[in-house]
Amino acid sequence: MTRQIQSPTIDVDELRAMLAERQPVTVLDVRKAEDRAEWAIPGSLHFDAYEALKAGNPDALADAAIPKEAPVVTICGAGKVSITAMEQLRHRGYDARSLAGGMKAWSLAWNSAEVPVLGSAATVIQIRRTGKGCLSYLIGNDDEAVVIDAALPREVYQDLAAQHGWTITRVLDTHVHADHLSRSRLLAEQTGATLHLPEQDRVTYPFTPVHDGDTLGAGSSRIVALRTPGHTWESTCYFLDEKALFTGDTLFLAGVGRPDLEASAEQAQARARLLHASLVRLTALSPETIILPGHTSEPAPFDAQPITATLADVISRVGMLGLSEEAFLDAILARIPPTPPNHARIVALNEAGEMPDGDPTDLEAGANRCAVS
Ligand SMILES: [Fe+2]
């Protein structure tokens, strides 16, 4: 039996809960194809009716093949044109609602997946900000938990930790982020956890510095810091029980971190050299190492399947990892993608440990662009 929808709009939390619980729902994206190409809701149907809806064409959705059995949620960029779509569908007898705030509000949607880590007593939960592609992690062991790269409101981490009976004792960032606002400082303040950041002089608020080789406990588990400069000077990976490697934006499942943000051409070249050395260090780890990156380039599905691969698989996918330093420099510098929107402002806020006045998704709009593949 499907649920009857009453209110004309649905908010992000309710839709993400419906998808996470696998409730029947058809998500209908009415944006232009080029807007959908940037980012989309996993499993959504696409019918490009944007111009027709905006023009007030009453038959804008007449040719869309939409199942009638499940409720429909209409989506656009900001939640306005999708209201017209919702009204047209209701007129045709559909149980339809419009996503309030559209894809901009969806930026904060998330889902999670447990990551099996053989040989570690810790439970690792990958928390995917599916609306943007940021991956953060909750590592629980005994009654303690550690959060890496918090990118969502603190309640998300606190609630998940509470559900498992864990208290968050440490909050870690892999680097100063440029594509999203770090929520680590707020999370640490609210939970009383220790805030650990890679040793650097960029951030202007108090933190406990992490150096290469430092070991942080999480219950009976050990997290060792591996300093891996390149994407940024301070970039650091965290190695859980020598089994799972949290790579931040240094190494992705199909690419490597970009070395050019907040850098001159000369600095980008120097950072690319450092990145090569860092990647040589990482690829020497056990081939069975589970790689857990800081981003994904596709919206994370609501499938509870972790986004991960073994180091051996990553090495076989990422051709750049096998290159000499000079060839690596040539390859990476030739493939730098467009810079993420608002990155200078986001970096400034992350260095100050502040959130913007108003809606943070205004600044964070757009897909993450920290990878070169
Ligand atoms: Fe980054």
Side-chain angles (χ1 to χ4, degrees):
M1 216 181 80
T2 60
R3 220 158 49 91
Q4 281 300 302
I5 285 177
Q6 297 303 332
S7 161
T9 59
I10 181 171
D11 67 19
V12 165
D13 272 347
E14 193 178 347
L15 178 58
R16 72 138 227 105
M18 285 179 83
L19 293 169
E21 291 163 15
R22 314 269 175 105
Q23 292 184 31
V25 58
T26 301
V27 178
L28 179 69
D29 186 342
V30 298
R31 292 176 299 161
K32 294 180 203 166
E34 62 261 38
D35 293 334
R36 182 177 169 85
E38 171 95 342
W39 209 252
I41 298 182
S44 54
L45 282 184
H46 182 226
F47 189 79
D48 182 348
Y50 193 81
E51 294 299 344
L53 287 164
K54 255 186 106 175
N57 177 350
D59 297 322
L61 295 169
D63 293 334
I66 307 162
K68 273 221 158 126
E69 298 73 43
V72 179
V73 174
T74 59
I75 311 286
C76 69
K80 285 192 178 147
V81 168
S82 59
I83 289 180
T84 309
M86 174 270 293
E87 287 168 348
Q88 291 195 6
L89 290 178
R90 285 192 162 209
H91 194 69
R92 287 169 51 197
Y94 282 91
D95 180 7
R97 280 204 278 182
S98 162
L99 179 68
M103 287 303 289
K104 192 166 94 64
W106 184 255
S107 166
L108 287 171
W110 60 276
N111 58 42
S112 66
E114 196 168 318
V115 185
V117 183
L118 273 178
S120 169
T123 299
V124 176
I125 300 174
Q126 183 178 58
I127 300 155
R128 299 97 73 91
R129 183 171 166 185
T130 179
K132 181 148 179 75
C134 308
L135 303 177
S136 49
Y137 297 91
L138 182 66
I139 304 163
N141 195 356
D142 303 329
D143 53 2
E144 284 182 40
V146 172
V147 176
I148 297 180
D149 283 340
L152 285 159
R154 60 182 173 79
E155 295 82 3
V156 172
Y157 306 96
Q158 286 176 292
D159 291 351
L160 281 169
Q163 282 166 26
H164 287 83
W166 300 325
T167 300
I168 297 172
T169 55
R170 301 181 196 277
V171 176
L172 284 55
D173 270 354
T174 53
H175 65 293
V176 178
H177 294 280
D179 67 321
H180 69 269
L181 295 155
S182 171
R183 271 71 167 183
S184 292
R185 184 188 187 190
L186 278 175
L187 178 63
E189 280 176 1
Q190 289 294 326
T191 54
T194 307
L195 175 64
H196 298 273
L197 304 181
E199 192 273 320
Q200 33 74 33
D201 58 6
R202 298 178 61 185
V203 162
T204 53
Y205 55 89
F207 63 92
T208 301
V210 177
H211 309 90
D212 188 50
D214 283 358
T215 300
L216 308 172
S220 60
S221 284
R222 291 153 55 91
I223 298 170
V224 176
L226 302 179
R227 184 93 172 184
T228 48
H231 172 62
T232 64
W233 296 110
E234 76 285 350
S235 284
T236 295
C237 297
Y238 298 108
F239 203 13
L240 171 68
D241 292 332
E242 298 185 19
K243 301 293 180 202
L245 185 69
F246 302 87
T247 52
D249 293 358
T250 296
L251 178 61
F252 300 100
L253 303 188
V256 302
R258 64 188 299 164
D260 64 303
L261 289 179
E262 318 305 308
S264 64
E266 213 169 64
Q267 287 170 331
Q269 191 154 17
R271 275 207 229 152
R273 246 178 242 287
L274 288 169
L275 181 62
H276 181 263
S278 294
L279 293 169
V280 167
R281 182 180 183 196
L282 294 185
T283 50
L285 297 173
S286 162
E288 297 307 313
T289 302
I290 295 167
I291 302 300
L292 293 163
H295 288 294
T296 165
S297 55
E298 300 285 332
F302 285 78
D303 60 0
Q305 295 300 310
I307 296 167
T308 182
T310 63
L311 179 59
D313 284 343
V314 173
I315 291 170
S316 72
R317 280 182 211 162
V318 183
M320 268 190 286
L321 293 175
L323 299 177
S324 68
E325 184 188 82
E326 288 313 311
F328 178 84
L329 254 64
D330 289 347
I332 194 168
L333 296 172
R335 292 186 214 178
I336 298 289
T339 50
N342 306 320
H343 64 96
R345 176 90 182 111
I346 290 173
V347 166
L349 284 165
N350 283 335
E351 288 177 348
E354 289 170 7
M355 294 293 280
D357 296 331
D359 183 352
T361 63
D362 287 339
L363 269 182
E364 294 179 313
N368 68 80
R369 294 200 190 117
C370 276
V372 183
S373 55

